[in-house]
Structure formats: C-alpha cells, structure tokens
Amino acid sequence: MLTVVSKGVLREDAYKWVQRNAMKVWEDIQNAVAGPTYRERLEADPDCTLTAEQLDQIFDPWAFLQRKDAIFERLEALEF
C-alpha cells in the first residue's frame, strides 16, 4: 500500500483498492474457488489507476528478497 501511495494515490483510495481486492481473493481461498490473483484483480479494478509497469514494480519478488539477509541476521541474533 505504501508503494501505491508513493505513486501519488491518496492513502484513502489506496486502502480501498487494497482492501477490496484482497478480501475478494481471501473469499475465493476460503471457499476453495479458483479465481483471479490479487494482481489480476487490481488490473481489472476500474478504480485502480496503476499502470502495468507500476504493478510490475509492486509485485516484483526480487524487491522482497533484497532485505532477506538483514532479516536472517535479526533472527540469528534472537535469544530464546
């Protein structure tokens, strides 16, 4: 959602897109129904003004993995 807001979308609008489409995907999962992916739902949402390139950036799995080393370092530092 923060990425969407950084693209110039109002926080309230971004929240509506995120929540509405995420809940539809969650409903499909809970009902064991094959349905569109979250990204596909955003692409089909007439209110969502993000371009394909912006969605590519948001859904880029490598962006999530860039900070994996720091996360593992924090986990290793934990004491139980």
Coordinates of all heavy atoms in Angstrom, one line a residue:
M1 N 0.8 -1.2 0.0 CA 0.0 0.0 0.0 C 0.9 1.3 0.0 O 0.5 2.2 -0.6 CB -0.9 0.0 1.2 CG -2.0 1.1 1.1 SD -3.3 0.9 2.3 CE -2.8 2.2 3.4
L2 N 2.0 1.2 0.7 CA 2.9 2.4 0.7 C 3.4 2.7 -0.6 O 3.6 3.8 -1.0 CB 4.0 2.1 1.7 CG 3.6 2.0 3.2 CD1 4.7 1.7 4.1 CD2 2.9 3.3 3.7
T3 N 3.7 1.6 -1.4 CA 4.2 1.9 -2.8 C 3.1 2.6 -3.6 O 3.4 3.5 -4.4 CB 4.6 0.5 -3.4 OG1 5.6 -0.1 -2.6 CG2 5.1 0.8 -4.8
V4 N 1.9 2.2 -3.4 CA 0.8 2.8 -4.2 C 0.7 4.3 -3.8 O 0.6 5.1 -4.6 CB -0.6 2.1 -3.9 CG1 -1.7 2.8 -4.5 CG2 -0.5 0.6 -4.3
V5 N 0.8 4.6 -2.5 CA 0.7 6.0 -2.0 C 1.9 6.8 -2.6 O 1.7 7.9 -3.0 CB 0.7 6.0 -0.5 CG1 0.8 7.4 0.0 CG2 -0.6 5.4 0.0
S6 N 3.1 6.1 -2.7 CA 4.2 6.8 -3.2 C 4.1 7.2 -4.7 O 4.8 8.0 -5.2 CB 5.5 6.0 -2.9 OG 5.6 4.9 -3.8
K7 N 3.2 6.5 -5.3 CA 2.9 6.8 -6.8 C 1.9 7.9 -6.9 O 1.5 8.2 -8.0 CB 2.3 5.5 -7.5 CG 3.2 4.3 -7.4 CD 4.5 4.5 -8.2 CE 5.4 3.2 -8.1 NZ 6.7 3.5 -8.6
G8 N 1.5 8.6 -5.8 CA 0.7 9.7 -5.9 C -0.8 9.5 -5.7 O -1.6 10.3 -5.9
V9 N -1.1 8.3 -5.2 CA -2.5 7.9 -5.0 C -2.8 8.3 -3.5 O -2.0 8.1 -2.6 CB -2.7 6.4 -5.2 CG1 -4.1 6.0 -4.8 CG2 -2.4 6.0 -6.6
L10 N -4.0 8.9 -3.3 CA -4.4 9.2 -2.0 C -4.4 7.9 -1.1 O -4.9 6.9 -1.6 CB -5.8 9.9 -1.9 CG -5.9 11.2 -2.6 CD1 -7.3 11.7 -2.6 CD2 -5.0 12.2 -1.8
R11 N -4.0 8.1 0.1 CA -4.0 6.9 1.0 C -5.4 6.2 1.2 O -5.5 5.0 1.2 CB -3.5 7.4 2.4 CG -3.2 6.3 3.4 CD -2.7 6.8 4.7 NE -2.0 5.8 5.4 CZ -0.8 5.4 5.3 NH1 0.0 6.0 4.5 NH2 -0.3 4.4 6.0
E12 N -6.4 7.0 1.2 CA -7.8 6.5 1.4 C -8.1 5.7 0.2 O -8.8 4.6 0.3 CB -8.8 7.6 1.6 CG -8.6 8.4 2.9 CD -7.5 9.4 2.9 OE1 -7.0 9.8 1.8 OE2 -7.1 9.9 4.0
D13 N -7.8 6.2 -1.0 CA -8.1 5.4 -2.3 C -7.3 4.1 -2.3 O -7.8 3.1 -2.7 CB -7.8 6.3 -3.5 CG -8.8 7.5 -3.6 OD1 -9.9 7.4 -3.1 OD2 -8.4 8.4 -4.3
A14 N -6.0 4.2 -2.0 CA -5.1 3.1 -2.0 C -5.7 2.0 -1.0 O -5.7 0.8 -1.4 CB -3.7 3.5 -1.6
Y15 N -6.1 2.4 0.1 CA -6.6 1.5 1.1 C -7.9 0.8 0.5 O -8.0 -0.4 0.7 CB -7.0 2.2 2.4 CG -7.5 1.2 3.4 CD1 -6.7 0.4 4.2 CD2 -8.9 1.1 3.7 CE1 -7.1 -0.5 5.1 CE2 -9.4 0.2 4.6 CZ -8.5 -0.6 5.3 OH -9.0 -1.5 6.2
K16 N -8.8 1.5 -0.1 CA -10.0 0.9 -0.7 C -9.6 -0.2 -1.7 O -10.2 -1.2 -1.7 CB -10.8 2.0 -1.4 CG -11.5 2.9 -0.4 CD -12.3 4.0 -1.1 CE -12.8 5.1 -0.2 NZ -13.4 6.2 -0.9
W17 N -8.6 0.2 -2.6 CA -8.2 -0.8 -3.6 C -7.6 -2.1 -3.0 O -8.0 -3.2 -3.3 CB -7.2 -0.3 -4.6 CG -7.5 1.0 -5.3 CD1 -8.7 1.6 -5.5 CD2 -6.6 1.8 -6.0 NE1 -8.6 2.7 -6.2 CE2 -7.3 2.9 -6.5 CE3 -5.2 1.7 -6.2 CZ2 -6.7 3.9 -7.2 CZ3 -4.6 2.8 -6.9 CH2 -5.3 3.8 -7.4
V18 N -6.7 -1.8 -2.1 CA -6.0 -2.9 -1.4 C -7.0 -3.8 -0.7 O -7.0 -5.0 -0.9 CB -4.9 -2.4 -0.5 CG1 -4.4 -3.5 0.4 CG2 -3.8 -1.7 -1.3
Q19 N -7.8 -3.2 0.1 CA -8.7 -4.0 1.0 C -9.8 -4.7 0.1 O -10.0 -5.9 0.4 CB -9.4 -3.0 2.0 CG -10.2 -3.7 3.0 CD -9.3 -4.5 4.0 OE1 -8.1 -4.4 4.0 NE2 -9.9 -5.4 4.7
R20 N -10.4 -4.0 -0.8 CA -11.5 -4.6 -1.6 C -11.0 -5.8 -2.3 O -11.6 -6.9 -2.3 CB -12.1 -3.5 -2.5 CG -13.1 -4.1 -3.5 CD -13.7 -3.0 -4.3 NE -12.7 -2.3 -5.1 CZ -12.6 -0.9 -5.2 NH1 -13.4 -0.2 -4.5 NH2 -11.6 -0.4 -5.9
N21 N -9.9 -5.7 -3.0 CA -9.4 -6.7 -3.8 C -8.7 -7.9 -3.0 O -8.9 -9.0 -3.3 CB -8.4 -6.2 -4.9 CG -9.1 -5.4 -5.9 OD1 -9.9 -5.9 -6.7 ND2 -8.9 -4.1 -5.9
A22 N -8.1 -7.5 -1.9 CA -7.5 -8.6 -1.0 C -8.6 -9.4 -0.4 O -8.5 -10.6 -0.3 CB -6.7 -7.9 0.1
M23 N -9.7 -8.8 0.0 CA -10.8 -9.5 0.6 C -11.5 -10.5 -0.5 O -12.0 -11.5 -0.1 CB -11.9 -8.6 1.2 CG -11.3 -7.8 2.4 SD -10.5 -8.9 3.6 CE -11.8 -9.9 4.2
K24 N -11.6 -10.0 -1.7 CA -12.1 -10.9 -2.8 C -11.2 -12.2 -3.0 O -11.8 -13.3 -3.1 CB -12.3 -10.2 -4.1 CG -13.4 -9.1 -4.0 CD -13.5 -8.4 -5.4 CE -14.6 -7.4 -5.3 NZ -14.6 -6.6 -6.6
V25 N -9.9 -12.0 -2.9 CA -9.0 -13.1 -3.1 C -9.2 -14.0 -1.8 O -9.2 -15.2 -2.0 CB -7.6 -12.6 -3.2 CG1 -6.6 -13.8 -3.2 CG2 -7.4 -11.9 -4.6
W26 N -9.2 -13.4 -0.7 CA -9.4 -14.2 0.6 C -10.7 -15.0 0.5 O -10.7 -16.1 0.9 CB -9.3 -13.2 1.8 CG -9.5 -13.9 3.1 CD1 -10.6 -13.8 3.9 CD2 -8.6 -14.8 3.7 NE1 -10.3 -14.6 5.0 CE2 -9.1 -15.3 4.9 CE3 -7.3 -15.3 3.3 CZ2 -8.5 -16.1 5.8 CZ3 -6.7 -16.2 4.2 CH2 -7.3 -16.6 5.4
E27 N -11.7 -14.4 0.1 CA -13.0 -15.1 0.0 C -12.9 -16.3 -1.0 O -13.4 -17.4 -0.7 CB -14.1 -14.1 -0.5 CG -15.5 -14.7 -0.6 CD -16.5 -13.7 -1.0 OE1 -16.5 -12.6 -0.6 OE2 -17.4 -14.1 -1.8
D28 N -12.2 -16.1 -2.1 CA -12.0 -17.2 -3.0 C -11.3 -18.4 -2.3 O -11.6 -19.5 -2.5 CB -11.3 -16.8 -4.3 CG -12.1 -15.9 -5.2 OD1 -13.3 -15.9 -5.0 OD2 -11.5 -15.3 -6.1
I29 N -10.2 -18.0 -1.6 CA -9.4 -19.0 -0.9 C -10.3 -19.7 0.1 O -10.2 -21.0 0.2 CB -8.2 -18.4 -0.3 CG1 -7.2 -17.9 -1.4 CG2 -7.5 -19.3 0.7 CD1 -6.1 -17.0 -0.8
Q30 N -11.0 -19.0 0.9 CA -11.8 -19.6 2.0 C -12.9 -20.5 1.4 O -13.3 -21.5 2.0 CB -12.5 -18.5 2.8 CG -11.5 -17.7 3.6 CD -10.7 -18.6 4.6 OE1 -11.2 -19.3 5.4 NE2 -9.4 -18.6 4.4
N31 N -13.4 -20.2 0.2 CA -14.4 -21.0 -0.4 C -13.9 -22.0 -1.4 O -14.6 -22.7 -2.1 CB -15.5 -20.1 -1.1 CG -16.2 -19.3 -0.1 OD1 -16.7 -19.8 0.9 ND2 -16.3 -18.0 -0.3
A32 N -12.6 -22.2 -1.4 CA -11.9 -23.1 -2.3 C -12.3 -22.9 -3.8 O -12.6 -23.9 -4.5 CB -12.1 -24.5 -1.9
V33 N -12.4 -21.6 -4.2 CA -12.8 -21.3 -5.5 C -11.6 -20.7 -6.3 O -10.9 -19.9 -5.8 CB -13.9 -20.2 -5.5 CG1 -14.3 -19.7 -6.9 CG2 -15.1 -20.7 -4.7
A34 N -11.4 -21.3 -7.5 CA -10.3 -20.7 -8.3 C -10.8 -19.4 -8.8 O -11.9 -19.2 -9.4 CB -10.0 -21.7 -9.5
G35 N -10.0 -18.4 -8.6 CA -10.3 -17.0 -9.0 C -9.1 -16.3 -9.5 O -8.0 -16.8 -9.4
P36 N -9.3 -15.0 -9.9 CA -8.1 -14.2 -10.3 C -7.1 -14.0 -9.1 O -7.5 -14.0 -8.0 CB -8.8 -12.9 -10.7 CG -10.2 -13.1 -10.8 CD -10.5 -14.3 -9.9
T37 N -5.9 -13.8 -9.5 CA -4.9 -13.4 -8.5 C -5.1 -12.0 -8.0 O -5.9 -11.3 -8.6 CB -3.5 -13.5 -9.1 OG1 -3.4 -12.5 -10.1 CG2 -3.2 -14.9 -9.6
Y38 N -4.4 -11.7 -7.0 CA -4.6 -10.3 -6.4 C -4.2 -9.3 -7.5 O -4.9 -8.3 -7.7 CB -3.7 -10.2 -5.2 CG -3.8 -8.9 -4.5 CD1 -5.0 -8.3 -4.1 CD2 -2.6 -8.1 -4.3 CE1 -5.1 -7.1 -3.5 CE2 -2.7 -6.9 -3.7 CZ -3.9 -6.4 -3.2 OH -4.0 -5.2 -2.6
R39 N -3.1 -9.5 -8.2 CA -2.7 -8.6 -9.2 C -3.7 -8.5 -10.3 O -4.0 -7.4 -10.8 CB -1.3 -9.0 -9.8 CG -0.9 -8.0 -10.9 CD 0.3 -8.4 -11.7 NE 0.5 -7.5 -12.7 CZ 1.6 -7.0 -13.1 NH1 2.7 -7.4 -12.5 NH2 1.7 -6.2 -14.1
E40 N -4.2 -9.6 -10.7 CA -5.3 -9.6 -11.8 C -6.5 -8.9 -11.3 O -7.1 -8.2 -12.1 CB -5.7 -11.1 -12.2 CG -4.6 -11.8 -12.9 CD -4.8 -13.3 -13.0 OE1 -5.6 -13.9 -12.2 OE2 -4.2 -13.9 -13.9
R41 N -6.8 -9.0 -10.1 CA -8.0 -8.2 -9.6 C -7.7 -6.7 -9.6 O -8.6 -5.9 -10.0 CB -8.3 -8.6 -8.2 CG -9.0 -10.0 -8.1 CD -9.7 -10.2 -6.8 NE -10.4 -11.5 -6.8 CZ -11.6 -11.7 -7.2 NH1 -12.3 -10.8 -7.8 NH2 -12.1 -12.9 -7.1
L42 N -6.5 -6.3 -9.3 CA -6.1 -4.9 -9.3 C -6.2 -4.4 -10.8 O -6.6 -3.3 -11.0 CB -4.7 -4.7 -8.7 CG -4.7 -4.7 -7.2 CD1 -3.2 -4.7 -6.7 CD2 -5.5 -3.6 -6.6
E43 N -5.6 -5.2 -11.7 CA -5.6 -4.8 -13.1 C -7.1 -4.6 -13.6 O -7.3 -3.8 -14.5 CB -4.9 -5.9 -13.9 CG -3.4 -5.9 -13.7 CD -2.7 -7.0 -14.4 OE1 -3.3 -8.1 -14.6 OE2 -1.6 -6.8 -14.9
A44 N -8.0 -5.4 -13.1 CA -9.4 -5.4 -13.6 C -10.2 -4.3 -12.8 O -11.3 -4.0 -13.3 CB -10.0 -6.7 -13.5
D45 N -9.7 -3.8 -11.7 CA -10.4 -2.9 -10.9 C -10.5 -1.5 -11.7 O -9.4 -0.9 -11.9 CB -9.7 -2.7 -9.6 CG -10.5 -1.9 -8.6 OD1 -11.3 -1.0 -9.0 OD2 -10.4 -2.1 -7.4
P46 N -11.7 -1.0 -12.0 CA -11.7 0.2 -12.8 C -11.3 1.4 -12.0 O -10.9 2.5 -12.6 CB -13.2 0.4 -13.1 CG -13.9 -0.5 -12.2 CD -13.0 -1.6 -11.8
D47 N -11.3 1.3 -10.7 CA -10.8 2.5 -9.8 C -9.3 2.5 -9.7 O -8.7 3.6 -9.4 CB -11.4 2.4 -8.4 CG -12.9 2.6 -8.4 OD1 -13.4 3.3 -9.3 OD2 -13.6 2.0 -7.6
C48 N -8.6 1.4 -9.9 CA -7.2 1.3 -9.8 C -6.5 1.9 -11.0 O -6.7 1.4 -12.1 CB -6.7 -0.1 -9.6 SG -5.0 -0.3 -9.3
T49 N -5.7 3.0 -10.8 CA -5.1 3.7 -11.9 C -3.7 3.3 -12.1 O -3.0 4.0 -12.9 CB -5.3 5.2 -11.7 OG1 -4.6 5.5 -10.4 CG2 -6.7 5.6 -11.6
L50 N -3.2 2.3 -11.5 CA -1.8 1.9 -11.6 C -1.6 1.3 -13.0 O -2.4 0.6 -13.5 CB -1.4 0.9 -10.6 CG -1.5 1.4 -9.1 CD1 -1.3 0.3 -8.2 CD2 -0.4 2.5 -8.9
T51 N -0.4 1.6 -13.6 CA -0.1 1.1 -14.9 C 0.5 -0.3 -14.7 O 0.9 -0.7 -13.6 CB 1.0 2.0 -15.6 OG1 2.2 1.9 -14.8 CG2 0.5 3.4 -15.7
A52 N 0.6 -1.0 -15.8 CA 1.2 -2.4 -15.8 C 2.7 -2.3 -15.3 O 3.1 -3.2 -14.5 CB 1.2 -3.0 -17.2
E53 N 3.4 -1.2 -15.6 CA 4.8 -1.1 -15.2 C 4.8 -0.9 -13.7 O 5.7 -1.4 -13.0 CB 5.5 0.1 -15.9 CG 5.7 -0.2 -17.4 CD 4.5 0.1 -18.2 OE1 3.5 0.7 -17.8 OE2 4.5 -0.5 -19.4
Q54 N 3.9 -0.1 -13.1 CA 3.9 0.1 -11.7 C 3.5 -1.1 -10.9 O 4.1 -1.4 -9.9 CB 2.8 1.3 -11.3 CG 3.3 2.6 -11.8 CD 2.2 3.7 -11.7 OE1 1.0 3.4 -11.9 NE2 2.6 4.9 -11.4
L55 N 2.6 -1.9 -11.5 CA 2.2 -3.2 -10.9 C 3.4 -4.2 -11.0 O 3.6 -4.9 -10.0 CB 1.0 -3.8 -11.6 CG -0.3 -3.1 -11.2 CD1 -1.4 -3.5 -12.1 CD2 -0.7 -3.3 -9.8
D56 N 4.2 -4.1 -12.0 CA 5.4 -4.9 -12.2 C 6.3 -4.6 -11.0 O 6.9 -5.5 -10.4 CB 6.1 -4.7 -13.5 CG 5.4 -5.3 -14.7 OD1 4.5 -6.2 -14.5 OD2 5.7 -4.9 -15.8
Q57 N 6.5 -3.4 -10.7 CA 7.4 -3.0 -9.6 C 6.9 -3.4 -8.3 O 7.6 -3.9 -7.4 CB 7.6 -1.5 -9.6 CG 8.4 -0.9 -10.7 CD 8.4 0.6 -10.7 OE1 7.7 1.3 -10.1 NE2 9.4 1.2 -11.5
I58 N 5.6 -3.3 -8.1 CA 5.0 -3.6 -6.8 C 5.0 -5.2 -6.6 O 5.3 -5.6 -5.5 CB 3.5 -3.2 -6.7 CG1 3.5 -1.6 -6.7 CG2 2.8 -3.8 -5.6 CD1 2.1 -1.0 -6.9
F59 N 4.8 -5.9 -7.6 CA 4.8 -7.4 -7.5 C 6.1 -8.1 -7.9 O 6.1 -9.3 -8.0 CB 3.6 -8.0 -8.3 CG 2.3 -7.7 -7.7 CD1 1.6 -6.6 -8.1 CD2 1.7 -8.5 -6.8 CE1 0.3 -6.3 -7.5 CE2 0.5 -8.3 -6.2 CZ -0.2 -7.1 -6.6
D60 N 7.2 -7.3 -7.9 CA 8.5 -7.9 -8.2 C 9.0 -8.7 -7.0 O 9.3 -8.1 -6.0 CB 9.5 -6.8 -8.5 CG 10.9 -7.3 -8.8 OD1 11.1 -8.5 -9.0 OD2 11.8 -6.5 -8.9
P61 N 9.1 -10.0 -7.1 CA 9.5 -10.8 -6.0 C 10.9 -10.5 -5.5 O 11.3 -10.6 -4.3 CB 9.4 -12.2 -6.4 CG 9.4 -12.2 -7.9 CD 8.8 -10.8 -8.3
W62 N 11.8 -10.0 -6.4 CA 13.2 -9.7 -6.0 C 13.2 -8.5 -5.1 O 14.2 -8.4 -4.3 CB 14.0 -9.5 -7.3 CG 14.2 -10.8 -8.0 CD1 13.6 -11.1 -9.3 CD2 14.8 -12.0 -7.6 NE1 13.9 -12.4 -9.6 CE2 14.6 -13.0 -8.6 CE3 15.5 -12.4 -6.5 CZ2 15.2 -14.2 -8.6 CZ3 16.1 -13.6 -6.4 CH2 15.9 -14.6 -7.4
A63 N 12.3 -7.6 -5.2 CA 12.3 -6.5 -4.3 C 12.1 -6.9 -2.9 O 12.7 -6.4 -1.9 CB 11.2 -5.5 -4.7
F64 N 11.3 -8.0 -2.6 CA 11.1 -8.5 -1.3 C 12.3 -9.2 -0.8 O 12.6 -9.2 0.4 CB 9.9 -9.5 -1.3 CG 8.6 -8.8 -1.6 CD1 8.0 -8.9 -2.8 CD2 8.0 -8.1 -0.6 CE1 6.8 -8.3 -3.1 CE2 6.7 -7.5 -0.8 CZ 6.2 -7.6 -2.1
L65 N 13.1 -9.8 -1.7 CA 14.2 -10.6 -1.3 C 15.5 -9.8 -1.1 O 16.5 -10.3 -0.5 CB 14.5 -11.7 -2.4 CG 13.4 -12.7 -2.5 CD1 13.7 -13.6 -3.7 CD2 13.3 -13.5 -1.2
Q66 N 15.5 -8.5 -1.4 CA 16.7 -7.7 -1.3 C 17.1 -7.5 0.2 O 18.2 -7.4 0.5 CB 16.4 -6.3 -1.9 CG 16.4 -6.3 -3.4 CD 16.1 -4.9 -3.9 OE1 15.8 -4.0 -3.2 NE2 16.2 -4.8 -5.2
R67 N 16.1 -7.6 1.1 CA 16.4 -7.4 2.5 C 16.4 -8.7 3.3 O 16.4 -8.7 4.5 CB 15.3 -6.5 3.1 CG 15.5 -5.0 2.5 CD 14.4 -4.1 3.0 NE 13.1 -4.4 2.6 CZ 12.6 -4.2 1.4 NH1 13.3 -3.6 0.5 NH2 11.3 -4.5 1.1
K68 N 16.5 -9.8 2.6 CA 16.4 -11.1 3.3 C 17.6 -11.3 4.2 O 17.4 -11.9 5.3 CB 16.3 -12.3 2.3 CG 17.6 -12.5 1.5 CD 17.4 -13.7 0.5 CE 18.6 -13.9 -0.3 NZ 19.7 -13.0 -0.4
D69 N 18.8 -10.9 3.9 CA 20.0 -11.1 4.7 C 19.8 -10.4 6.0 O 20.2 -10.9 7.1 CB 21.2 -10.6 4.0 CG 21.6 -11.5 2.8 OD1 21.1 -12.7 2.8 OD2 22.2 -11.0 1.8
A70 N 19.3 -9.2 6.0 CA 19.1 -8.4 7.3 C 18.1 -9.1 8.1 O 18.2 -9.1 9.4 CB 18.6 -7.0 6.9
I71 N 17.1 -9.7 7.6 CA 16.0 -10.4 8.3 C 16.6 -11.6 9.0 O 16.4 -11.8 10.2 CB 14.8 -10.7 7.4 CG1 14.1 -9.4 7.0 CG2 13.9 -11.7 8.2 CD1 13.1 -9.6 5.9
F72 N 17.4 -12.4 8.2 CA 18.0 -13.6 8.8 C 19.1 -13.2 9.9 O 19.2 -13.9 10.9 CB 18.7 -14.4 7.7 CG 17.7 -15.3 7.0 CD1 17.3 -15.0 5.7 CD2 17.0 -16.3 7.6 CE1 16.4 -15.7 5.0 CE2 16.1 -17.1 7.0 CZ 15.8 -16.8 5.7
E73 N 19.8 -12.1 9.7 CA 20.7 -11.6 10.8 C 19.9 -11.3 12.1 O 20.4 -11.6 13.1 CB 21.5 -10.4 10.3 CG 22.5 -10.7 9.2 CD 23.1 -9.5 8.6 OE1 22.9 -8.4 9.1 OE2 23.9 -9.6 7.6
R74 N 18.8 -10.7 11.9 CA 18.0 -10.4 13.1 C 17.5 -11.6 13.8 O 17.5 -11.7 15.0 CB 16.8 -9.5 12.7 CG 17.2 -8.1 12.4 CD 16.0 -7.2 12.0 NE 16.4 -6.0 11.4 CZ 15.6 -5.1 10.8 NH1 14.3 -5.4 10.7 NH2 16.1 -4.0 10.3
L75 N 17.1 -12.6 13.0 CA 16.6 -13.8 13.6 C 17.7 -14.6 14.3 O 17.5 -15.1 15.4 CB 16.0 -14.7 12.4 CG 14.7 -14.3 11.9 CD1 14.4 -15.2 10.7 CD2 13.6 -14.4 12.9
E76 N 18.9 -14.6 13.7 CA 20.1 -15.3 14.3 C 20.5 -14.6 15.6 O 21.0 -15.2 16.5 CB 21.2 -15.3 13.4 CG 21.1 -16.2 12.2 CD 22.1 -16.1 11.1 OE1 23.0 -15.2 11.2 OE2 22.1 -16.9 10.2
A77 N 20.2 -13.3 15.8 CA 20.6 -12.6 17.0 C 19.6 -12.8 18.1 O 19.9 -12.4 19.3 CB 20.7 -11.1 16.6
L78 N 18.4 -13.4 17.8 CA 17.4 -13.6 18.9 C 17.9 -14.6 19.8 O 18.5 -15.6 19.5 CB 16.1 -14.0 18.2 CG 15.3 -13.0 17.4 CD1 14.1 -13.6 16.8 CD2 14.9 -11.8 18.3
E79 N 17.6 -14.4 21.1 CA 17.9 -15.4 22.1 C 16.6 -15.9 22.7 O 15.7 -15.1 23.0 CB 18.7 -14.7 23.2 CG 20.1 -14.3 22.7 CD 20.9 -13.8 23.8 OE1 20.6 -14.1 25.0 OE2 21.9 -13.0 23.5
F80 N 16.5 -17.2 22.9 CA 15.3 -17.8 23.5 C 15.6 -18.4 24.8 O 16.6 -18.9 25.1 CB 14.7 -18.9 22.5 CG 14.3 -18.3 21.2 CD1 15.1 -18.3 20.1 CD2 13.0 -17.8 21.1 CE1 14.7 -17.7 18.9 CE2 12.6 -17.3 19.9 CZ 13.4 -17.2 18.8

